Amino acid sequence: MDPDGPPATTDAPSDRVLTVPNLLSFLRLLLVPVFVWLLLFVEADGWAFVVLLVSGFSDWADGKLARLLNQSSRLGALLDPAADRLYMIVIPIGLGIRDIVPWWMIAILLARDLLLLASVPLLRSRGMTALPVTYVGKAATFSLMYGFPFVLGGQLDGLFGDIMHPIGWAFLVWGIGMYLWSFVQYWWQTVLVLRQMPRVGSPMPRVGG
């Protein structure tokens, strides 16, 4: 729950498609190829930076508006995290191709996500689809989502680039550290689930004589 947001609604997510939050999520998805074109094909780093700023603002706005306008939807619950994950893959790979971010950092991020995917069938065997998001995981994603754009902004000439460069790398280094720590937390939670919860369909242990 966002402590700065409006009170949470008790209404269940609807099947609506044409909502303001969903349109913002669609916009974020449409901006992915625009970002790739600007970064890799025309190397317009300034405009690519602007695209990331717009995407980041829309990511914040769609959640706020979903609660404010009571427009939470099942489609939005899928689109928003899908857009986040797509950006977390496309942005570092694009920056790696441009030699702005070292590939070993990108390999750490991608390997972490792939290894977490390995826990999905284990959780499903216990009747779970996902683990609760940890504060460290949220902070890690927040740091990376700011770190990558600021590192890109650090490529710009002048005072702006000089300011963005150290800020971006500070966010990025802290984000990667927390990303790895959250990986340890999620896998430890997975181990606890496997040890304490029975398999789906297995008989419950008898209690008493």
Side-chain angles (χ1 to χ4, degrees), residues 37-156:
W37 178 72
L38 290 171
L39 181 70
L40 300 181
F41 293 93
V42 298
E43 297 190 3
D45 293 345
W47 285 110
F49 176 74
V50 170
V51 167
L52 292 185
L53 288 184
V54 172
S55 300
F57 176 77
S58 67
D59 184 27
W60 169 83
D62 64 9
K64 290 286 186 180
L65 291 175
R67 293 187 291 271
L68 184 64
L69 303 177
N70 192 22
Q71 291 187 349
S72 298
S73 66
R74 293 182 178 86
L75 178 61
L78 295 174
L79 283 178
D80 186 52
D84 285 344
R85 192 52 49 198
L86 184 59
Y87 272 94
M88 286 298 296
I89 294 172
V90 170
I91 294 174
I93 290 178
L95 296 180
I97 293 173
R98 283 282 309 278
D99 292 325
I100 296 174
V101 174
W103 279 103
W104 65 265
M105 279 191 173
I106 300 167
I108 288 175
L109 297 176
L110 297 181
R112 181 262 194 192
D113 286 345
L114 288 175
L115 290 173
L116 276 186
L117 283 176
S119 69
V120 173
L122 299 176
L123 293 173
R124 287 179 176 171
S125 71
R126 284 356 187 230
M128 298 181 64
T129 57
L131 292 169
V133 178
T134 66
Y135 286 109
V136 174
K138 289 181 179 180
T141 301
F142 173 86
S143 294
L144 293 174
M145 292 297 286
Y146 276 87
F148 284 122
F150 286 177
V151 166
L152 177 60
Q155 302 300 302
L156 304 177

Side-chain angles (χ1 to χ4, degrees), residues 1-2 5-11 66-68 70 72:
M1 180 182 295
D2 187 343
T9 176
T10 57
D11 295 340
R67 293 187 291 271
L68 184 64
N70 192 22
S72 298

Side-chain angles (χ1 to χ4, degrees), residues 204-209:
M204 295 294 292
R206 294 181 59 187
V207 179

